[in-house]
């Protein structure tokens, strides 16, 4: 079995967002970059499949030199090989899906795993777009995955519950928190990863479907009001305010 | 034409779909276009209701093979309908199905896609979308370079407005079977409550709840005021047995309710990112310095274990949530 794991480098969740001088991108100063947390579940699942039934795991990221950190981490955790597609990995999901599809086409991957969304862009679109471009099945926001002979059974999160999707391999599966508990890299893994090389390829030329023309911070929220009295009085005052001023009820 | 993919549940159009359809109508009015509402399933009884939300044309695809959702079947149907109708805009609600099928249909159409948008406009005949990025820490204005433009609308943001449309019905051929994947079973959560992403009122607990069992008092308040219960990452990761589907924040659900009551939540940037789109925020916390108070419309400095039961009691006495 051959598994591709697509990994994206994103700003850490604690990052305070600042808009760059161009008015449409993130100011990279003071940003700490991490592997998108949902991609960590995807990588962990690939490694577990490799340990369980044997598989070759290829880690891939689209980006510049800094994205190599993501790939080094993937190698340390157990990916067999790593590929850096040199291109804009932070841009339009459709463009990124095309780059990955161009690479993955005809390479015989049985399974492609990635996070259900890249943290930050929050598009949740790259996975299903990649599935369509490769002409394969998909299951998104997956919390449980079982593989059969050329088939998969995935439980995915939906509104107020989950649903079971069955389909044929190859397939694109996008991971959700709950799928597994990602491991930490072992010292042995880190040392072994140092000996491995990252294959660098230029991403194929693609046409973007959409672009960001402006990035803005949300408006400041107006100053709030503290409610006085004991618990009972505070409760009364709150409900009255929500009813009369906010008209929530 | 502006085409809106609509979902039915128990023979009724789902609320997030009526919101997407209403927004489609507004965009059509602003640009002199027509609106089509597209339905698919074993039965599309109930689709006629789309006329009330402004649909000029109601497209239905009915077949036993469409009884269960299938990504590639529905994507094929959507993409073919866009081509057949010469639609330039394809919308759906940002639901589990909408977010699964629209990107796939967009890729098939070579179209740009904007996910989970909170604002749409037609500018010089082209769609322009505003969408939260970094879980609401910023908003990105998105423009399209493709001929067809696609977007999913965030539930609870666009008002569903009744406006009569002609509602002419056209029947579409269902895609042939042998789909690459199909939904075999739906596992509903106990209680069958609405999802956090669609909830109008959310009562959320954080580390200050001290234990998962204590979330019972939040359930009681939520029941009294017609809300659902959420949690911060700190609470979900604390090992109290709370499911991650309850998690509100950058690595959880990004929510946009009318009312968000944060109980024992300090207000880490990760959490604020997921809930700052709430219309009204109430913070209940013992620590007056908690950052959540900077965000709150109403703050209660106090012990949540005293305040929350009082709120439940008062809400019942006032008959809130019963209308």
């Amino acid at each position: 079995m051959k598994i591709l794991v697509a990994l994206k480098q994103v700003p850490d969740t604690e990052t305070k967002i600042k808009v760059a001088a161009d008015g449409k991108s993130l100011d990279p100063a003071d940003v700490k970059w991490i592997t998108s947390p949902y991609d960590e579940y995807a990588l962990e699942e690939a490694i577990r499949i490799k340990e369980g039934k044997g598989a070759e795991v290829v880690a891939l990221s689209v980006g510049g030199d800094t994205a190599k950190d993501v790939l080094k981490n993937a190698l340390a955790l157990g990916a067999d090989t790593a590929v850096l597609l040199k291109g804009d990995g932070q841009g339009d999901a459709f463009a990124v899906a095309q780059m990955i599809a161009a690479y993955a086409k005809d390479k015989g991957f049985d399974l492609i795993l990635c996070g259900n969304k890249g943290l930050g862009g929050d598009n949740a679109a790259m996975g299903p777009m990649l599935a369509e471009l490769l002409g394969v099945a998909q299951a998104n926001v997956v919390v449980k995955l079982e593989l059969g002979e050329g088939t998969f059974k995935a439980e995915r999160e939906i509104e107020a519950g989950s649903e079971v999707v069955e389909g044929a391999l190859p397939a694109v599966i996008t991971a959700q928190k709950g799928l597994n508990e990602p491991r930490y890299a072992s010292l042995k893994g880190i040392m072994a990863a140092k000996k491995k090389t990252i294959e660098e390829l230029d991403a194929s030329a693609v046409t973007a479907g959409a672009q960001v023309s402006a990035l803005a911070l949300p408006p400041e929220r107006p100053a709030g009001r503290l409610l006085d009295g004991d618990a009972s009085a505070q409760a009364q005052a709150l409900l009255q305010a929500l009813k009369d001023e906010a008209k929530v009820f | 034409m502006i085409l809106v993919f609509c979902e039915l549940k128990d023979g009724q159009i789902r609320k997030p779909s009526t919101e997407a359809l209403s927004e489609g109508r507004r965009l059509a009015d602003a640009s002199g276009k027509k609106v089509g509402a597209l339905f698919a399933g074993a039965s599309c009884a109930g689709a006629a209701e789309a006329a009330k939300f402004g649909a000029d044309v109601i497209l239905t695809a009915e077949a036993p093979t469409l009884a269960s959702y299938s990504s590639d079947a529905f994507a094929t149907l959507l993409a073919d309908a866009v081509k057949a109708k010469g639609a330039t805009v394809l919308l759906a609600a940002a639901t589990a199905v909408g977010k699964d099928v629209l990107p796939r249909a967009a890729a098939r159409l070579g179209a740009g896609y904007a996910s989970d948008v909170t604002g749409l406009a037609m500018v010089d005949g082209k769609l322009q979308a505003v969408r939260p990025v970094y879980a609401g820490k910023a908003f990105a204005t998105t423009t399209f370079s493709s001929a067809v433009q696609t977007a999913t609308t965030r539930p609870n943001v666009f008002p569903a407005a009744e406006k009569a449309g002609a509602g002419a019905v056209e029947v579409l051929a269902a895609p042939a079977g042998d789909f690459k994947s199909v939904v075999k079973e739906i596992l509903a959560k106990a209680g069958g409550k609405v999802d956090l992403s669609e909830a109008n009122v959310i009562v959320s607990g954080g580390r200050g709840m001290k234990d998962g069992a204590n979330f019972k008092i939040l359930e009681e308040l939520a029941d009294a005021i017609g809300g659902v219960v959420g949690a911060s990452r700190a609470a979900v990761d604390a090992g109290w047995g709370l499911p991650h589907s309850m998690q509100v924040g950058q690595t959880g659900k990004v929510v946009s309710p009318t009312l968000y009551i944060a109980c024992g939540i300090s207000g880490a940037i990760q959490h604020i990112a997921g809930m700052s789109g709430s219309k009204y925020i109430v913070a209940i916390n013992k620590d007056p310095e908690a950052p959540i108070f900077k965000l709150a419309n109403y703050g209660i400095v106090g012990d949540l274990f005293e305040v929350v039961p009082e709120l439940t009691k008062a809400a019942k006495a006032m008959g809130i949530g019963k209308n």
Side-chain angles (χ1 to χ4, degrees):
Chain A
M1 168 159 251
K2 206 172 161 188
I3 304 174
L4 180 71
V5 185
L7 302 159
K8 185 178 181 183
Q9 193 174 41
V10 301
D12 184 77
T13 54
E14 304 296 321
T15 298
K16 194 158 183 251
I17 301 300
K18 283 179 269 179
V19 180
D22 67 1
K24 58 183 183 183
S25 60
L26 171 70
D27 180 351
D30 306 326
V31 173
K32 183 185 156 209
W33 296 88
I34 59 167
T35 301
S36 184
Y38 299 104
D39 296 347
E40 293 186 337
Y41 303 111
L43 178 62
E44 176 65 30
E45 196 67 12
I47 297 164
R48 286 186 190 199
I49 294 166
K50 176 182 162 179
E51 290 168 345
K53 52 170 70 178
E56 178 196 346
V57 177
V58 180
L60 174 145
S61 192
V62 180
D65 276 342
T66 62
K68 283 182 190 166
D69 291 345
V70 167
L71 294 169
K72 278 180 206 151
N73 182 50
L75 289 170
L77 284 164
D80 296 293
T81 53
V83 178
L84 176 68
L85 289 185
K86 290 193 281 182
D88 179 10
Q90 301 294 324
D92 177 41
F94 186 44
V96 174
Q98 289 171 78
M99 293 176 204
I100 298 175
Y103 168 82
K105 201 170 167 264
D106 306 327
K107 286 204 173 55
F109 288 108
D110 302 288
L111 188 62
I112 299 174
L113 287 158
C114 59
N116 79 81
K117 64 178 179 181
L119 207 77
D122 298 351
N123 273 296
M126 204 290 287
M129 287 179 155
L130 181 58
E132 172 62 26
L133 294 172
L134 292 172
V136 303
Q138 72 186 54
N140 288 311
V141 203
V142 169
V143 291
K144 196 173 167 193
L145 179 65
E146 288 170 32
L147 298 177
E149 286 300 317
T151 60
F152 72 88
K153 187 174 171 183
E155 190 180 323
R156 77 182 205 100
E157 245 180 35
I158 57 169
E159 291 87 357
S162 61
E163 64 185 16
V164 179
V165 183
E166 289 181 24
L169 296 177
V172 173
I173 305 289
T174 74
Q176 167 68 329
K177 185 175 185 180
L179 178 62
N180 51 46
E181 200 56 57
R183 71 194 68 191
Y184 292 98
S186 64
L187 186 60
K188 192 174 154 223
I190 295 167
M191 296 313 287
K194 286 192 172 159
K195 295 191 188 114
K196 294 181 183 171
T197 52
I198 293 169
E199 187 183 0
E200 294 184 41
L201 301 168
D202 288 324
S204 55
V206 295
T207 313
Q211 47 277 314
V212 175
S213 57
L215 187 69
L217 298 181
E220 289 276 323
R221 294 186 72 97
R225 176 151 79 83
L226 283 181
L227 303 171
D228 302 323
D230 64 5
S232 171
Q234 286 171 322
Q236 291 285 348
L238 175 65
L239 292 178
Q240 211 60 54
L242 289 172
K243 214 172 164 195
D244 300 342
E245 295 168 25
K247 307 210 186 308
V248 173
F249 299 117
Chain B
M1 178 178 278
I2 292 175
L3 199 56
V4 185
F5 169 61
C6 299
E7 295 170 61
L8 289 165
K9 195 179 179 202
D10 305 326
Q12 298 240 306
I13 307 181
R14 291 189 60 198
K15 184 169 167 276
S17 295
T18 62
E19 295 166 3
L21 186 52
S22 298
E23 182 60 16
R25 178 76 258 170
R26 280 188 288 271
L27 293 172
D29 287 342
S31 56
K33 291 186 195 313
K34 290 207 174 227
V35 178
L38 172 61
F39 294 84
S43 162
C44 294
E49 206 194 344
K52 273 199 253 168
F53 297 95
D56 296 307
V57 184
I58 298 169
L59 305 166
T60 60
E62 283 186 336
T65 49
L66 297 177
S68 294
Y69 171 68
S70 158
S71 303
D72 55 334
F74 277 53
T76 300
L77 186 69
L78 264 63
D80 287 353
V82 165
K83 285 182 207 156
K85 291 283 144 195
T88 50
V89 172
L90 173 64
L91 302 178
T95 59
V97 164
K99 289 170 89 166
D100 194 72
V101 71
L102 231 69
R104 186 161 186 136
R108 179 168 291 214
L109 292 161
Y113 166 67
S115 182
D116 224 358
V117 305
T118 54
L120 287 169
M122 295 298 280
V123 179
D124 300 329
K126 293 282 276 185
L127 190 68
Q128 199 172 80
V130 174
R131 51 184 304 273
V133 288
Y134 306 105
K137 284 191 250 179
F139 284 82
T141 302
T142 301
T143 52
F144 296 83
S145 37
S146 53
V148 177
Q149 305 137 82
T150 72
T152 49
T153 54
R154 171 174 290 189
N156 241 347
V157 172
F158 298 92
E162 296 211 1
K163 184 174 183 195
V169 176
E170 280 182 36
V171 176
L172 299 177
D178 198 21
F179 309 134
K180 293 182 182 80
S181 71
V182 71
V183 170
K184 290 286 182 188
E185 192 184 352
I186 292 184
L187 311 164
K189 195 163 66 181
K193 289 198 178 137
V194 296
D195 193 69
L196 283 169
S197 58
E198 291 173 29
N200 197 37
V201 174
I202 296 173
V203 180
S204 227
R207 210 191 293 271
M209 295 303 297
K210 296 196 175 101
D211 191 87
N214 293 333
F215 274 69
K216 194 167 157 281
I217 64 168
L218 303 189
E219 287 284 355
E220 286 163 358
L221 175 58
D223 285 345
I225 60 176
V228 292
V229 175
S232 70
R233 184 169 80 175
V236 170
D237 287 354
W240 295 341
L242 303 171
H244 60 89
S245 56
M246 277 176 78
Q247 186 180 320
V248 173
Q250 184 154 10
T251 51
K253 297 234 163 82
V254 179
V255 298
S256 46
T258 305
L259 174 63
Y260 190 90
I261 304 181
C263 307
I265 291 175
S266 63
I269 190 167
Q270 213 275 351
H271 186 74
I272 286 175
M275 49 66 84
S276 57
S278 307
K279 197 164 175 201
Y280 289 98
I281 295 171
V282 173
I284 303 170
N285 203 304
K286 269 200 287 203
D287 176 10
E289 302 299 321
I292 191 83
F293 284 116
K294 289 204 180 72
L295 212 67
N297 301 79
Y298 302 102
I300 292 179
V301 177
D303 182 353
L304 71 92
F305 293 104
E306 290 173 24
V307 175
V308 171
E310 287 293 341
L311 276 170
T312 308
K313 204 164 81 182
K316 282 180 182 164
M318 288 166 74
I320 281 168
K322 297 279 174 261
N323 46 354

